[in-house]
PDB file of all heavy atoms in Angstrom:
ATOM      1  N   ASP Q 107      -9.633  -5.733 -25.563  1.00 98.00           N
ATOM      2  CA  ASP Q 107     -10.411  -4.745 -24.864  1.00 98.00           C
ATOM      3  C   ASP Q 107      -9.908  -4.538 -23.432  1.00 98.00           C
ATOM      4  O   ASP Q 107      -9.812  -3.460 -22.937  1.00 98.00           O
ATOM      5  CB  ASP Q 107     -11.881  -5.175 -24.866  1.00 98.00           C
ATOM      6  CG  ASP Q 107     -12.783  -4.255 -24.141  1.00 98.00           C
ATOM      7  OD1 ASP Q 107     -12.606  -3.006 -24.209  1.00 98.00           O
ATOM      8  OD2 ASP Q 107     -13.701  -4.680 -23.378  1.00 98.00           O
ATOM      9  N   TRP Q 108      -9.612  -5.674 -22.751  1.00 98.00           N
ATOM     10  CA  TRP Q 108      -9.107  -5.513 -21.362  1.00 98.00           C
ATOM     11  C   TRP Q 108      -7.724  -4.769 -21.364  1.00 98.00           C
ATOM     12  O   TRP Q 108      -7.471  -4.009 -20.489  1.00 98.00           O
ATOM     13  CB  TRP Q 108      -8.940  -6.936 -20.755  1.00 98.00           C
ATOM     14  CG  TRP Q 108     -10.307  -7.509 -20.306  1.00 98.00           C
ATOM     15  CD1 TRP Q 108     -11.224  -8.078 -21.139  1.00 98.00           C
ATOM     16  CD2 TRP Q 108     -10.831  -7.501 -19.005  1.00 98.00           C
ATOM     17  NE1 TRP Q 108     -12.336  -8.467 -20.409  1.00 98.00           N
ATOM     18  CE2 TRP Q 108     -12.109  -8.115 -19.128  1.00 98.00           C
ATOM     19  CE3 TRP Q 108     -10.401  -7.129 -17.818  1.00 98.00           C
ATOM     20  CZ2 TRP Q 108     -12.951  -8.313 -18.036  1.00 98.00           C
ATOM     21  CZ3 TRP Q 108     -11.186  -7.263 -16.682  1.00 98.00           C
ATOM     22  CH2 TRP Q 108     -12.450  -7.887 -16.774  1.00 98.00           C
ATOM     23  N   ALA Q 109      -6.885  -5.084 -22.306  1.00 98.00           N
ATOM     24  CA  ALA Q 109      -5.555  -4.446 -22.383  1.00 98.00           C
ATOM     25  C   ALA Q 109      -5.701  -2.965 -22.649  1.00 98.00           C
ATOM     26  O   ALA Q 109      -5.049  -2.162 -22.004  1.00 98.00           O
ATOM     27  CB  ALA Q 109      -4.675  -5.156 -23.446  1.00 98.00           C
ATOM     28  N   ARG Q 110      -6.569  -2.668 -23.601  1.00 98.00           N
ATOM     29  CA  ARG Q 110      -6.697  -1.232 -23.932  1.00 98.00           C
ATOM     30  C   ARG Q 110      -7.292  -0.494 -22.697  1.00 98.00           C
ATOM     31  O   ARG Q 110      -6.831   0.633 -22.360  1.00 98.00           O
ATOM     32  CB  ARG Q 110      -7.678  -1.126 -25.149  1.00 98.00           C
ATOM     33  CG  ARG Q 110      -7.947   0.279 -25.633  1.00 98.00           C
ATOM     34  CD  ARG Q 110      -8.740   0.228 -26.941  1.00 98.00           C
ATOM     35  NE  ARG Q 110      -9.835  -0.599 -26.911  1.00 98.00           N
ATOM     36  CZ  ARG Q 110      -9.969  -1.817 -27.500  1.00 98.00           C
ATOM     37  NH1 ARG Q 110      -9.008  -2.232 -28.189  1.00 98.00           N
ATOM     38  NH2 ARG Q 110     -11.109  -2.473 -27.472  1.00 98.00           N
ATOM     39  N   SER Q 111      -8.277  -1.045 -22.020  1.00 98.00           N
ATOM     40  CA  SER Q 111      -8.935  -0.402 -20.859  1.00 98.00           C
ATOM     41  C   SER Q 111      -7.891  -0.189 -19.785  1.00 98.00           C
ATOM     42  O   SER Q 111      -7.869   0.860 -19.127  1.00 98.00           O
ATOM     43  CB  SER Q 111     -10.134  -1.196 -20.429  1.00 98.00           C
ATOM     44  OG  SER Q 111     -11.136  -1.211 -21.419  1.00 98.00           O
ATOM     45  N   CYS Q 112      -7.135  -1.228 -19.488  1.00 98.00           N
ATOM     46  CA  CYS Q 112      -6.161  -1.105 -18.386  1.00 98.00           C
ATOM     47  C   CYS Q 112      -4.993  -0.135 -18.774  1.00 98.00           C
ATOM     48  O   CYS Q 112      -4.554   0.627 -17.879  1.00 98.00           O
ATOM     49  CB  CYS Q 112      -5.620  -2.478 -18.093  1.00 98.00           C
ATOM     50  SG  CYS Q 112      -6.763  -3.568 -17.277  1.00 98.00           S
ATOM     51  N   ALA Q 113      -4.592  -0.131 -20.034  1.00 98.00           N
ATOM     52  CA  ALA Q 113      -3.555   0.835 -20.449  1.00 98.00           C
ATOM     53  C   ALA Q 113      -4.039   2.239 -20.339  1.00 98.00           C
ATOM     54  O   ALA Q 113      -3.297   3.147 -19.833  1.00 98.00           O
ATOM     55  CB  ALA Q 113      -3.103   0.494 -21.906  1.00 98.00           C
ATOM     56  N   GLU Q 114      -5.255   2.467 -20.763  1.00 98.00           N
ATOM     57  CA  GLU Q 114      -5.848   3.846 -20.711  1.00 98.00           C
ATOM     58  C   GLU Q 114      -6.101   4.252 -19.260  1.00 98.00           C
ATOM     59  O   GLU Q 114      -6.168   5.481 -18.938  1.00 98.00           O
ATOM     60  CB  GLU Q 114      -7.107   3.917 -21.544  1.00 98.00           C
ATOM     61  CG  GLU Q 114      -6.876   3.774 -23.041  1.00 98.00           C
ATOM     62  CD  GLU Q 114      -8.106   3.710 -23.846  1.00 98.00           C
ATOM     63  OE1 GLU Q 114      -9.228   3.649 -23.249  1.00 98.00           O
ATOM     64  OE2 GLU Q 114      -8.042   3.720 -25.068  1.00 98.00           O
ATOM     65  N   ALA Q 115      -6.199   3.262 -18.372  1.00 98.00           N
ATOM     66  CA  ALA Q 115      -6.452   3.617 -16.906  1.00 98.00           C
ATOM     67  C   ALA Q 115      -5.119   3.939 -16.281  1.00 98.00           C
ATOM     68  O   ALA Q 115      -5.081   4.351 -15.099  1.00 98.00           O
ATOM     69  CB  ALA Q 115      -7.100   2.447 -16.204  1.00 98.00           C
ATOM     70  N   GLY Q 116      -3.983   3.720 -16.987  1.00 98.00           N
ATOM     71  CA  GLY Q 116      -2.712   4.169 -16.436  1.00 98.00           C
ATOM     72  C   GLY Q 116      -1.984   3.052 -15.737  1.00 98.00           C
ATOM     73  O   GLY Q 116      -1.039   3.167 -15.025  1.00 98.00           O
ATOM     74  N   MET Q 117      -2.514   1.714 -15.869  1.00 98.00           N
ATOM     75  CA  MET Q 117      -1.782   0.626 -15.282  1.00 98.00           C
ATOM     76  C   MET Q 117      -0.518   0.300 -16.100  1.00 98.00           C
ATOM     77  O   MET Q 117      -0.569   0.388 -17.271  1.00 98.00           O
ATOM     78  CB  MET Q 117      -2.751  -0.539 -15.171  1.00 98.00           C
ATOM     79  CG  MET Q 117      -3.953  -0.261 -14.242  1.00 98.00           C
ATOM     80  SD  MET Q 117      -5.186  -1.470 -14.345  1.00 98.00           S
ATOM     81  CE  MET Q 117      -6.367  -0.785 -13.142  1.00 98.00           C
ATOM     82  N   ARG Q 118       0.536  -0.106 -15.333  1.00 98.00           N
ATOM     83  CA  ARG Q 118       1.764  -0.322 -15.997  1.00 98.00           C
ATOM     84  C   ARG Q 118       2.175  -1.800 -16.110  1.00 98.00           C
ATOM     85  O   ARG Q 118       3.136  -2.146 -16.781  1.00 98.00           O
ATOM     86  CB  ARG Q 118       2.884   0.449 -15.319  1.00 98.00           C
ATOM     87  CG  ARG Q 118       2.673   2.005 -15.406  1.00 98.00           C
ATOM     88  CD  ARG Q 118       2.852   2.477 -16.827  1.00 98.00           C
ATOM     89  NE  ARG Q 118       2.547   3.846 -17.001  1.00 98.00           N
ATOM     90  CZ  ARG Q 118       3.436   4.874 -16.900  1.00 98.00           C
ATOM     91  NH1 ARG Q 118       4.676   4.623 -16.470  1.00 98.00           N
ATOM     92  NH2 ARG Q 118       3.071   6.093 -17.082  1.00 98.00           N
ATOM     93  N   TYR Q 119       1.520  -2.707 -15.338  1.00 98.00           N
ATOM     94  CA  TYR Q 119       1.884  -4.095 -15.434  1.00 98.00           C
ATOM     95  C   TYR Q 119       0.683  -4.980 -15.064  1.00 98.00           C
ATOM     96  O   TYR Q 119      -0.287  -4.586 -14.428  1.00 98.00           O
ATOM     97  CB  TYR Q 119       3.060  -4.429 -14.532  1.00 98.00           C
ATOM     98  CG  TYR Q 119       2.881  -4.225 -13.036  1.00 98.00           C
ATOM     99  CD1 TYR Q 119       2.599  -5.276 -12.206  1.00 98.00           C
ATOM    100  CD2 TYR Q 119       3.027  -2.929 -12.465  1.00 98.00           C
ATOM    101  CE1 TYR Q 119       2.427  -5.080 -10.828  1.00 98.00           C
ATOM    102  CE2 TYR Q 119       2.874  -2.751 -11.118  1.00 98.00           C
ATOM    103  CZ  TYR Q 119       2.628  -3.816 -10.287  1.00 98.00           C
ATOM    104  OH  TYR Q 119       2.461  -3.640  -8.942  1.00 98.00           O
ATOM    105  N   LEU Q 120       0.726  -6.212 -15.606  1.00 98.00           N
ATOM    106  CA  LEU Q 120      -0.302  -7.173 -15.389  1.00 98.00           C
ATOM    107  C   LEU Q 120       0.245  -8.409 -14.680  1.00 98.00           C
ATOM    108  O   LEU Q 120       1.341  -8.854 -14.966  1.00 98.00           O
ATOM    109  CB  LEU Q 120      -0.829  -7.641 -16.822  1.00 98.00           C
ATOM    110  CG  LEU Q 120      -1.598  -8.950 -16.884  1.00 98.00           C
ATOM    111  CD1 LEU Q 120      -3.045  -8.764 -16.337  1.00 98.00           C
ATOM    112  CD2 LEU Q 120      -1.673  -9.521 -18.283  1.00 98.00           C
ATOM    113  N   VAL Q 121      -0.535  -8.906 -13.775  1.00 98.00           N
ATOM    114  CA  VAL Q 121      -0.412 -10.254 -13.189  1.00 98.00           C
ATOM    115  C   VAL Q 121      -1.600 -11.041 -13.585  1.00 98.00           C
ATOM    116  O   VAL Q 121      -2.741 -10.603 -13.173  1.00 98.00           O
ATOM    117  CB  VAL Q 121      -0.210 -10.198 -11.682  1.00 98.00           C
ATOM    118  CG1 VAL Q 121      -0.004 -11.646 -11.103  1.00 98.00           C
ATOM    119  CG2 VAL Q 121       1.062  -9.358 -11.315  1.00 98.00           C
ATOM    120  N   PHE Q 122      -1.472 -12.174 -14.231  1.00 98.00           N
ATOM    121  CA  PHE Q 122      -2.656 -12.967 -14.664  1.00 98.00           C
ATOM    122  C   PHE Q 122      -2.646 -14.317 -14.039  1.00 98.00           C
ATOM    123  O   PHE Q 122      -1.582 -14.972 -13.935  1.00 98.00           O
ATOM    124  CB  PHE Q 122      -2.654 -13.104 -16.198  1.00 98.00           C
ATOM    125  CG  PHE Q 122      -3.948 -13.750 -16.710  1.00 98.00           C
ATOM    126  CD1 PHE Q 122      -5.031 -12.959 -16.974  1.00 98.00           C
ATOM    127  CD2 PHE Q 122      -4.024 -15.093 -16.870  1.00 98.00           C
ATOM    128  CE1 PHE Q 122      -6.195 -13.457 -17.466  1.00 98.00           C
ATOM    129  CE2 PHE Q 122      -5.217 -15.672 -17.366  1.00 98.00           C
ATOM    130  CZ  PHE Q 122      -6.275 -14.855 -17.648  1.00 98.00           C
ATOM    131  N   THR Q 123      -3.765 -14.851 -13.597  1.00 98.00           N
ATOM    132  CA  THR Q 123      -3.903 -16.074 -12.934  1.00 98.00           C
ATOM    133  C   THR Q 123      -3.750 -17.268 -13.935  1.00 98.00           C
ATOM    134  O   THR Q 123      -4.775 -17.602 -14.548  1.00 98.00           O
ATOM    135  CB  THR Q 123      -5.199 -16.260 -12.166  1.00 98.00           C
ATOM    136  OG1 THR Q 123      -6.293 -15.807 -13.057  1.00 98.00           O
ATOM    137  CG2 THR Q 123      -5.225 -15.363 -10.966  1.00 98.00           C
ATOM    138  N   THR Q 124      -2.572 -17.755 -14.088  1.00 98.00           N
ATOM    139  CA  THR Q 124      -2.375 -18.865 -15.019  1.00 98.00           C
ATOM    140  C   THR Q 124      -2.933 -20.232 -14.500  1.00 98.00           C
ATOM    141  O   THR Q 124      -3.381 -21.013 -15.278  1.00 98.00           O
ATOM    142  CB  THR Q 124      -0.857 -19.074 -15.308  1.00 98.00           C
ATOM    143  OG1 THR Q 124      -0.234 -19.508 -14.074  1.00 98.00           O
ATOM    144  CG2 THR Q 124      -0.215 -17.784 -15.829  1.00 98.00           C
ATOM    145  N   LYS Q 125      -2.945 -20.331 -13.162  1.00 98.00           N
ATOM    146  CA  LYS Q 125      -3.487 -21.624 -12.543  1.00 98.00           C
ATOM    147  C   LYS Q 125      -3.746 -21.323 -11.082  1.00 98.00           C
ATOM    148  O   LYS Q 125      -2.868 -20.973 -10.345  1.00 98.00           O
ATOM    149  CB  LYS Q 125      -2.533 -22.760 -12.702  1.00 98.00           C
ATOM    150  CG  LYS Q 125      -3.096 -24.101 -12.255  1.00 98.00           C
ATOM    151  CD  LYS Q 125      -2.082 -25.248 -12.423  1.00 98.00           C
ATOM    152  CE  LYS Q 125      -1.156 -25.279 -11.250  1.00 98.00           C
ATOM    153  NZ  LYS Q 125      -0.417 -26.573 -11.208  1.00 98.00           N
ATOM    154  N   HIS Q 126      -5.035 -21.455 -10.697  1.00 98.00           N
ATOM    155  CA  HIS Q 126      -5.444 -21.343  -9.278  1.00 98.00           C
ATOM    156  C   HIS Q 126      -5.251 -22.678  -8.572  1.00 98.00           C
ATOM    157  O   HIS Q 126      -4.746 -23.622  -9.209  1.00 98.00           O
ATOM    158  CB  HIS Q 126      -6.853 -20.780  -9.200  1.00 98.00           C
ATOM    159  CG  HIS Q 126      -7.120 -19.989  -7.906  1.00 98.00           C
ATOM    160  ND1 HIS Q 126      -7.861 -20.486  -6.894  1.00 98.00           N
ATOM    161  CD2 HIS Q 126      -6.635 -18.794  -7.527  1.00 98.00           C
ATOM    162  CE1 HIS Q 126      -7.907 -19.608  -5.946  1.00 98.00           C
ATOM    163  NE2 HIS Q 126      -7.170 -18.594  -6.272  1.00 98.00           N
TER     164      HIS Q 126
END
Side-chain angles (χ1 to χ4, degrees):
D107 179 39
W108 284 79
R110 182 170 52 253
S111 296
C112 290
E114 291 174 354
M117 296 169 180
R118 295 292 175 86
Y119 62 101
L120 162 76
V121 178
F122 188 87
T123 48
T124 66
K125 189 180 81 165
H126 207 252

